[in-house]
C-alpha cells in the first residue's frame, strides 16, 4: 500500500482492487463496497485531519457510546457517470446541510463543509471505475457519524467518527409495492427526531414492517402518532398522492424527513405545470378517493428508489387496488429526475454537481 500525504487528506491506496470480482448486472443493494472509505475522527474538541484508506473492518471498544445511547446519524446520496465519463452528484449541498441538522439534533458536532466536499470528491476520483454509466446505474454514498468514545455514561460523547462508504447500485425497487396504512405503530412523534436521519428512526421501523411483510405488503405508510388519521411518510421515503390531476404531499414537520427527492419532485411539478399542493392528507380522504375512482396514483420518493409506485394499500382490513394509469406522474418524475442526474437533459436549477 502507498501512503500519500496531501495538505487536506492523508490517502492510503488499496494495493489491489476488488472490482474484477463484482457482477455489476446482479447487485444486491448495499451489499458490495468499493475499494476505499473516508474517515475523520473528532477528538480534543475538534475534527482531526481526514483520511482515505482501503475499505476494511475497524476496531471499536464495546463501551463506545454509539452502542449504548444511539448517537448515530447518516445520509444517502448517489454519484452518476454520463457516457463521456463525467461524474456528477445530485444536490449534495442539501445532504451536507441535512447531516449537520441531524447531528445538531443528536448533540453531535457539525462536520466542516470543506472536509465533506473534499472527502467526497477525492473518494469518488479514487473509486471512479465503480461508477458505471447508464440510466439506473449509480454509486450509492453513505456518509455517517457515530459516537466512538468508550464510556457508558448517559451524556453526549466527546469523540466521534465521520465516515463515507460507497456501494454500486442498480434500481432499488423494480416493481410497484403494496403498502399498509399504519393504525397502531408510529415512526416518530412530535418533538422527537423524525426529521433527522438518526439511525434509531429506521431500527424502530423494522418490527412493524416485518408484520406488514408477513401479510404480503412491502412497506408501511406511516400516520401521525397522535391520531393515526393523517398520512405522513412511506417506509424510508416521502409520500405523494395524485387525486384527479392534483399532486398532494404532506407538509414537513418534526416527524417527517425533509427529503431531497421530495423537494425536487415539487419543483418539477411546478416546472411541468402540474397542479400541486402541500397539506395534511387524511386516511379517510385517500380511502374515499380510492372508492370513487379519483385516486390515480400513490408513490414514494427517496434517494435509493428515486420514485416507487404503490399498487395497493390496506387499512382496517380493507384492501384497495390502484390501477396503472397511462399518464403516470410517477414515471414522468422518475424519468425527468434520472435524465437530469445522468446529464441527459437540461439542468435548469443547477442541481448537478460535477466532480472534477
Amino acid at each position: 500500500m502507498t501512503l500519500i500525504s496531501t495538505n487536506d487528506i492523508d490517502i492510503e491506496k488499496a494495493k489491489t482492487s476488488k472490482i474484477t470480482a463484482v457482477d455489476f448486472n446482479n447487485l444486491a443493494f448495499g451489499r458490495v463496497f468499493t475499494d476505499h472509505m473516508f474517515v475523520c475522527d473528532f477528538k480534543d474538541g475538534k475534527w482531526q485531519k481526514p483520511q482515505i484508506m482501503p475499505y476494511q473492518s475497524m476496531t471499536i471498544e464495546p463501551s463506545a457510546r454509539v452502542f449504548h445511547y444511539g448517537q448515530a446519524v447518516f445520509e444517502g446520496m448517489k454519484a452518476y457517470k454520463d457516457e463521456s465519463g463525467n461524474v456528477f452528484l445530485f444536490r449534495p449541498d442539501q445532504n451536507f446541510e441535512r447531516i449537520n441538522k441531524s447531528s445538531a439534533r443528536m448533540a453531535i458536532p457539525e462536520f466542516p463543509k470543506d472536509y465533506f466536499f473534499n472527502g467526497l470528491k477525492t473518494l469518488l476520483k479514487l473509486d471512479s471505475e465503480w461508477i458505471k454509466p447508464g440510466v439506473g446505474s449509480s454509486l450509492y454514498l453513505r456518509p455517517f457519524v457515530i459516537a466512538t468514545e468508550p464510556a457508558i455514561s448517559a451524556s453526549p460523547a466527546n469523540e466521534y467518527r465521520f465516515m463515507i462508504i460507497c456501494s454500486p447500485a442498480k434500481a432499488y425497487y423494480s416493481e410497484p409495492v403494496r403498502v399498509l396504512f399504519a393504525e397502531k405503530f408510529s415512526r416518530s412523534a412530535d418533538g422527537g427526531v423524525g426529521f433527522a436521519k438518526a439511525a434509531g428512526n429506521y431500527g424502530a421501523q423494522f418490527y412493524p414492517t416485518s408484520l406488514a411483510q408477513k401479510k404480503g405488503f412491502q412497506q408501511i405508510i406511516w400516520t401521525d402518532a397522535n391520531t393515526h388519521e393523517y398520512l405522513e411518510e412511506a417506509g424510508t421515503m416521502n409520500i405523494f398522492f395524485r387525486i384527479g390531476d392534483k399532486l398532494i404531499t404532506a407538509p414537513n414537520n418534526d416527524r417527517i424527513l425533509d427529503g431531497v427527492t421530495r423537494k425536487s419532485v415539487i419543483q418539477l411539478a411546478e416546472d411541468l405545470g402540474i397542479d400541486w399542493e402541500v397539506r395534511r392528507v387524511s386516511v379517510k380522504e385517500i380511502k374515499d378517493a380510492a372508492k370513487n375512482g379519483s385516486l390515480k396514483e400513490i408513490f414514494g420518493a427517496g434517494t435509493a428508489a428515486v420514485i416507487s409506485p404503490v399498487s395497493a394499500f390496506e387499512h382496517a382490513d380493507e384492501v384497495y387496488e390502484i390501477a396503472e394509469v397511462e399518464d403516470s406522474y410517477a414515471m414522468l418524475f422518475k424519468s425527468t429526475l434520472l435524465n437530469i442526474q445522468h446529464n441527459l437533459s437540461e439542468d435548469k436549477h443547477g442541481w448537478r454537481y460535477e466532480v472534477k
Side-chain angles (χ1 to χ4, degrees), residues 296-328:
K296 302 300 183 185
E297 296 180 82
I298 302 176
F299 59 88
T303 297
V306 186
I307 300 292
S308 182
V310 171
S311 61
F313 68 88
E314 180 186 293
H315 181 262
D317 296 323
E318 295 178 304
V319 177
Y320 300 83
E321 302 288 339
I322 304 172
E324 290 186 30
V325 291
E326 290 185 5
D327 62 335
S328 168

Side-chain angles (χ1 to χ4, degrees), residues 116-190:
F116 183 83
F117 280 93
N118 287 342
L120 273 175
K121 290 189 288 186
T122 306
L123 188 59
L124 290 173
K125 287 175 185 176
L126 278 173
D127 285 342
S128 176
E129 292 301 311
W130 290 80
I131 313 170
K132 300 302 179 183
V135 174
S137 294
S138 62
L139 186 67
Y140 186 83
L141 314 176
R142 172 51 61 87
F144 64 100
V145 195
I146 58 172
T148 53
E149 183 187 14
I152 48 173
S153 174
S155 60
N158 294 308
E159 296 177 6
Y160 298 87
R161 176 162 289 184
F162 184 103
M163 301 185 68
I164 305 172
I165 56 176
C166 311
S167 178
K170 302 291 276 187
Y172 191 67
Y173 294 116
S174 57
E175 300 293 333
V177 297
R178 300 171 68 85
V179 301
L180 284 179
F181 287 1
E183 299 177 62
K184 176 184 176 183
F185 295 101
S186 301
R187 178 188 177 274
S188 59
D190 292 339

